[in-house]
Amino acid sequence: MKRLLQSKETKKTLITFGIVIITYIIVEILMLCGLLSNQLQGLLVPICYYVMLAISLNLTVGILGELSLGHAGFACVGVFTGTVFSICMQNVIAASWIRFALAIILGALFAGIVGILIGLPVLRLKGDYLAIVTLAFCEIIKNVINVIYLGKDSQGLHISTTDTTALGMEPEGVVIIKGAQGVTGMPQDANFTIGILLILITLFIVLNLVHSRDGRAIMAIRDNLIAAESVGINITKYKLMAFSISAALAGAAGAYYGHNFNNIKAATNNFGYNMSIMVLVFVVLGGIGNMRGSIIAAVLLTLLPEMLRGISEYRLLIYSIVLIGMMLFNWSPKAQAWKEKMKVRILGKLKKNQKEVQ
Amino acid sequence: MAMLEVTNLSISFGGLRAVDDFSITINEGELYGLIGPNGAGKTTVFNLLTGVYKPDEGHILLGGKDITGQKTIEINREGIARTFQNIRLFKEMTVQENVMVGLHNQIRYSTLASIFKLPSYRKAEKEMRERSLELLKVFDLDKEADTLASNLPYGKQRKLEIARALATNPKLLLLDEPAAGMNPNETIELMKTIRFVRDKFKMTILLIEHDMKLVSGICEELTVLNFGHVLCKGETKEVLNNPEVIKAYLGE
């Protein structure tokens, strides 16, 4: 155990995992005691989804150092590939957990592939330009899904971009994607436990990647591209790696989220640029490159608007004040100095206590 | 044996011939200086040697192998490492991590190994830590291994850049104004370090420098550039006493 805790990074990672698991246990206990309102219980799956999105976006923004505004687009790809798979396989794979796991993997795979396809041309751009292109991509994905009609009958899948009748299906066929009306009829397999499990997997992948040779190469590109190239790092390869892994994890999150509803649409409010920016806000407020911060920000900022529903008129006002407050607390030099000071003081006390015990 | 052989290297930017007919031969284990007034094209030569620019004409042979026109990362793998005039460290990473990035192509393991922390990851990572620490010890930076690179004092940042370049296991090390911005004491220490690197690693070193004390102190041979042309070359003492060099570079 002692050897395991030797490295600082491992310790930090374990603490982050610990926080997630303890939160899970507390929430489960609260649910068992009936202390959690229905409204809050309904929020658990979305919160897990946003946490996953925030962690995966932090890989692009914090570790790779590129501003991407298209993260909701990758989640959208995950939602639709995952749910379509589940509906098609509903009668083929009986065990819901296998079907769900496969749906999530497929969602991740598709989003990852889209990530590579988008990344290849887009990662040549930098800064603002990259942000603009990813933003446009997100809108395009949403609009493309809105015109797709997909149905299934005994002959297989039918696809059209006009309407349901154009699918030319047998009478007993099922329409899976109904254009702007979205996907209907997927099994609602998503629950809080699976969400926490997925958060842990996402964290595991991202943190292990960051603390490896590949992660260091990605951070080196972020810190100084020319120097990274001069020590023999393949810029394109590592940029693409970070971008596509980030996209794949968003796709997995999307596939999970899609199974929370009976019907899901690629609407502006859930997969538009607003959503991408909201996830970016989680990342920025939680601290760029800081995974633990992303998780906390995602949870707080998803809960807050819902908690404030009672005072509906002032909801957004309070939300924005909290945003500003968090921004000041996390980013102002004075607040940072204060945090450092508190950290030193607390650690110093702990060490003193330890010495006294010895 | 000639480690680096450059023949008739030229490059133009628009109408400006930044480097014209540049030739140089550096033997294995030599400490070679490249000097010249500001804007003479010294850093451009470095950028040509490391593949940042592709030469219009000429050839670059490293240890007898033609590396002309290759990409920066390929040239680094062939064995040329460099430092920069304006320090380019990975600022948000620790001192040790900076060197570990330098070891990127020396010690490898797969992405899957890193995500699942397979035994190959642990073994390679341990080796990386040990080797990077060894290198840091050479430069007396081992105590600052966990410090952020941006928090190092200036002189140590220069040293760290050299350590990172050495981590790529080069045959030829290019130093671009290593003493820029250093005080006289730091410069003297740097001279010792450079000489030490050459002796310990049996390294061939080409350096650009303005500090004449450093150049005359450690370089065995010099080439002087002026307006992209080679003005003269030869042994350090002779070159520095050449009236033309004094006129062009040191002032009349």
Side-chain angles (χ1 to χ4, degrees), chain B residues 42 49 63 69 133 140 154 165 175 240 251:
Chain B
K42 304 180 297 289
L49 292 180
L133 213 59
D140 204 19
Y154 189 83
L175 303 175
L240 288 181

Side-chain angles (χ1 to χ4, degrees), chain A residues 208 213-214 216 223 230 232, chain B residues 76 92 104-105 109 115 125:
Chain A
N208 281 355
R213 171 178 172 268
D214 298 320
R216 281 191 296 270
D223 280 359
S230 87
Chain B
N76 179 262
E92 298 296 312
H104 185 80
N105 288 322
Y109 53 84
I115 288 178
E125 197 73 357

Side-chain angles (χ1 to χ4, degrees), chain A residues 15-29:
Chain A
I15 292 175
T16 314
F17 278 102
I19 291 175
V20 176
I21 292 167
I22 289 169
T23 315
Y24 170 69
I25 293 170
I26 292 173
V27 172
E28 282 292 317
I29 291 171

Side-chain angles (χ1 to χ4, degrees), chain A residues 111-122 240 243-244:
Chain A
I113 292 169
V114 174
I116 292 175
L117 291 179
I118 305 288
L120 271 175
V122 160
L240 211 56
F243 195 69
S244 56

Side-chain angles (χ1 to χ4, degrees), chain B residues 4 14 51 63 67 85-86 89 103 134 138 170 209 227 245 247:
Chain B
L4 181 75
I67 56 163
Q85 192 173 354
N86 41 348
L89 287 172
L103 288 167
E134 261 170 48
V138 170
E209 192 46 74
F227 297 113
V245 173
K247 191 176 149 196

Side-chain angles (χ1 to χ4, degrees), chain A residues 217-232:
Chain A
I218 293 165
M219 289 188 283
I221 293 170
R222 168 196 72 190
D223 280 359
N224 203 313
L225 197 131
I226 293 173
E229 217 174 359
S230 87
V231 292

